[in-house]
């Protein structure tokens, strides 16, 4: 947290200084009463600065006392306002910085982290937990600092007036401190639990709302509602436990304080009756004690806000201190601008290293070449593409662009050289044009239209009322599956990267569109390195080389016609899909 506070040290120090002034003004508040009681009513001689009031009648002294009391309140109103505003504003900005940092980190964290954490819970961290840390900060600055200062000030003044009585009043402090420390730990634990439950609830809601069609299609509303209610009750239960701990703390603190106050009252009466103290001074002491109550109570309330903040801070540090991201090597260099080869050597990888998905995979794609990766579902084709993008680091083996291992390249430059059409094309909430431009944000309209025409986006978009400015909804819900795929393809084509990774680019397309999209891909592949994953042997037939993956290993490799002639898995599949292959493919001139 210290790093987040540093940029605002000036605002924070000014508000702390103002808090100090406010405290002193607060400490001066009871003294006009002493003037009124001892000098105006009791007729005692005026001493100290009050000597300047000499000659005033009692009513005049009372007026001065009253005006003084009003002035003190007025001044402390101004300092109070400035303190609240300055520290509140600083806390808002610190909260914004914290949110930005958490968001930045969330975007950088590897898919492995996101596989484990649910997005709904992460959103609650970003919003709810940051607010709680911010609240704790405000409370700390606006209340805790002045309260502690006030307490110290009160004790100093009380000690000056009557050390004996102060000692008695302080009897309550050690048990209070012990109580506070114990409760803080308990409250923090309870709050952590409550926040985790709230995160679970948010994750569940985010998930079912995102898949609300599935919930409705399977008539699962009632079951979902029941599950939600159960989790919701869980949230209430954990929050109540935390609340109970917080609520118990106040009365216990009050009792301790009241005991101290009772002792002082008794002692004070003895002093006044034995003539060792004036009634005015006793009133001041008692009023100090009463005002001791305020800060101590508010500090006890604070303890729970701070404990909440501490629980939320832990949840944020889990994100901020996670090192689960693909970091650039210190001596990383940018990837070559126009790489000619992409080489994969003996790549072994498992999401769980004990169960490898890919075993010693080796392959090479050269510029101008289209390589098709085929294989049964779940053999690890998409996984291989993720590794090429360095979304994960392999357990063994290397991936190299023009011979330089991608671990030695900056991740940003590596990913700039690659355009991906993912198996599940992600469409963002925005217009069709925005979605295509996501591939290259600085592209102009003509370039976007070009890519859209090549990827066959144009025909269906021109039928839409707002054309390219049609908003497609969250996840592209307003588009059909095939349309989404074509938008994703246009996005990748617009990117214009030397490496093109296509994961099932034609699934969900009718035969005619599939042919058209394949033509588009063939065109785009010219001068690039293209690796296309497909279950369609029609697509494979177009490739220069086919790699067959079985159980995470490349088991067959060669030109499509060669593989069919040789007989094997690929030849069997061809027979199953009844694809007639040209006996020798005309090389495309590139
Ligand atoms: N994020 C993940 N965490 C853990 N395991 C995963 C993850 N993604 C995939 N797997 C597992 O890795 C294996 C390979 O998955 P992958 O998605 O690479 O298969 P695929 O060949 O692309 O299949 P398909 O043809 O169905 O798309 C599967 O057994 C899958 O269960
Ligand atoms: Mg896949």
């Amino acid at each position: 947290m210290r790093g987040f506070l540093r940029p605002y040290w000036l605002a924070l120090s000014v508000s702390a200084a103002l808090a100090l002034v406010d405290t002193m003004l607060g400490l001066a508040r009871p003294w006009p009463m002493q003037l009124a009681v001892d000098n105006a009513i009791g007729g005692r001689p005026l001493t100290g600065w009050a000597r300047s009031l000499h000659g005033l009648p009692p009513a005049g002294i009372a007026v001065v006392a009253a005006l003084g009391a009003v002035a003190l309140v007025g001044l402390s109103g101004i300092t109070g306002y400035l303190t609240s505003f300055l520290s509140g504003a600083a806390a808002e900005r610190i909260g914004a910085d914290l949110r930005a940092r958490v968001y930045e980190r969330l975007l950088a964290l590897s898919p492995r982290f996101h596989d484990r954490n649910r997005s709904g819970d992460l959103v609650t961290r970003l919003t709810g937990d940051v607010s709680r840390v911010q609240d704790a900060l405000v409370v700390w600055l606006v209340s805790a600092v002045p309260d502690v200062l006030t307490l110290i000030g009160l004790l100093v003044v009380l000690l000056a007036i009557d050390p004996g009585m102060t000692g008695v009043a302080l009897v309550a402090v050690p048990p209070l401190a012990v109580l506070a420390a114990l409760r803080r730990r308990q409250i923090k634990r309870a709050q952590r639990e409550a926040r985790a439950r709230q995160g679970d609830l948010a994750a569940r809601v985010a998930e079912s709302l995102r898949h609300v069609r599935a919930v409705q299609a399977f008539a699962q509303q009632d079951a979902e509602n029941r599950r939600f209610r159960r989790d919701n009750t869980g949230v209430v239960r954990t929050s109540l436990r935390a609340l109970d701990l917080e609520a118990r703390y106040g009365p216990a603190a009050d009792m301790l304080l009241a005991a101290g106050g009772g002792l002082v009252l008794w002692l004070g009466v003895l002093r006044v009756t034995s003539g060792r103290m004036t009634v005015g001074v006793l009133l001041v002491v008692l009023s100090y004690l009463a005002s001791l109550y305020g800060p101590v109570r508010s500090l006890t309330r604070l303890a729970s806000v701070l404990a909440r903040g501490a629980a939320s801070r832990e949840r944020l540090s889990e994100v901020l201190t996670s090192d689960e991201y693909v970091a650039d090597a210190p001596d990383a260099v940018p990837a070559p601008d126009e790489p000619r080869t992409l080489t994969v050597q003996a790549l072994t990888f498992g999401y769980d290293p004990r169960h490898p998905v890919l075993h010693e995979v080796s392959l090479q794609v050269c510029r101008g070449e289209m390589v098709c990766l085929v294989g049964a579902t779940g053999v690890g084709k998409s996984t291989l593409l993720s590794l090429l993008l360095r979304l994960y680091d392999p357990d063994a083996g290397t991936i190299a662009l023009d011979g330089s291992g991608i671990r030695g390249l900056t991740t940003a430059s590596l990913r700039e050289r690659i355009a991906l059409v993912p198996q599940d094309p992600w469409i963002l909430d925005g217009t069709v044009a925005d979605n295509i431009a996501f591939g290259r944000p600085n592209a102009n309209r003509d370039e976007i239209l070009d890519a859209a025409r090549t990827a066959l986006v144009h025909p269906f978009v021109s039928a839409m009322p707002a054309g390219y400015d049609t908003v497609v909804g969250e996840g592209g819900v307003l588009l059909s599956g095939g349309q989404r795929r074509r938008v994703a393809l246009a996005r990748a084509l617009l990117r214009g990267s030397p490496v093109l990774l296509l994961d099932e680019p034609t699934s969900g397309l009718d035969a005619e569109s599939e042919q058209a999209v394949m033509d588009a891909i063939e065109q785009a592949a010219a001068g690039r390195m293209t690796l296309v994953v497909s279950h369609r042997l029609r697509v494979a037939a177009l490739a220069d080389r086919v790699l067959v993956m079985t159980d995470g290993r490349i088991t067959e490799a060669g030109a499509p016609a060669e593989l069919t002639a040789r007989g094997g898995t690929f030849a069997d599949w061809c027979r199953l899909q009844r694809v007639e292959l040209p006996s020798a493919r005309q090389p495309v001139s590139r």
Side-chain angles (χ1 to χ4, degrees), residues 206 209-213 426-430 435 471-479 484:
L209 290 184
R210 192 161 49 233
H211 301 296
V212 70
R213 289 146 191 264
W426 2 264
I427 302 292
L428 316 163
D429 189 9
N435 266 290
V471 173
V472 295
E474 197 181 32
V477 282
L478 307 185
L479 298 177
R484 264 176 248 165

Side-chain angles (χ1 to χ4, degrees), residues 210-402:
R210 192 161 49 233
H211 301 296
V212 70
R213 289 146 191 264
V215 173
Q216 290 175 0
F218 283 82
Q220 286 297 306
Q221 292 97 308
D222 286 344
E224 277 300 317
N225 270 324
R226 267 197 304 280
R227 235 171 287 160
F228 180 83
R229 256 183 242 126
R230 199 188 53 217
D231 286 4
N232 207 9
T233 319
V235 168
V236 172
R237 205 174 304 126
T238 48
S239 301
L240 283 183
R241 226 174 66 73
L243 199 65
D244 180 43
L245 283 172
E246 289 171 20
R248 277 167 198 235
Y249 184 37
D254 283 353
M255 276 312 292
L256 284 171
L257 282 172
L263 276 175
V264 168
L265 185 66
W266 172 71
L267 206 64
V269 169
L270 286 190
R271 299 244 163 137
V272 172
T273 47
S274 66
R276 281 204 286 150
M277 189 184 253
T278 67
V279 177
V281 172
L282 177 63
L283 282 176
V284 168
V285 168
L286 287 178
S287 114
Y288 271 149
L289 273 182
S291 37
L292 209 62
Y293 239 71
V296 170
R297 273 224 89 179
S298 106
L299 278 175
T300 58
R301 254 199 326 270
L302 273 183
S304 32
V305 180
L306 293 180
R308 270 180 203 206
S312 287
R313 203 180 55 218
E314 277 182 11
R315 275 164 60 81
L316 292 176
S317 1
E318 279 171 11
V319 174
L320 287 175
T321 58
S322 170
D323 52 3
E324 253 183 310
Y325 55 93
V326 176
D328 284 349
D331 51 354
V333 294
D337 281 334
E338 291 290 334
R340 309 186 66 85
T341 56
L342 172 67
T343 318
V344 174
Q345 273 277 310
L347 202 66
T348 298
F349 170 78
Y351 291 97
D352 169 1
R354 284 167 303 176
H355 303 108
V357 173
L358 300 176
H359 302 266
E360 310 227 331
V361 170
S362 298
L363 60 94
Q364 187 171 47
V365 187
C366 299
R367 193 190 297 176
E369 214 180 11
M370 190 199 297
V371 172
C372 181
L373 188 62
V374 300
T377 65
V379 289
K381 304 180 296 293
S382 304
T383 303
L384 176 63
L385 300 192
S386 311
L387 290 175
L388 296 180
L389 279 159
R390 210 176 166 209
L391 294 178
Y392 300 91
D393 274 330
D395 300 319
T398 54
I399 301 171
L401 270 184
D402 276 358

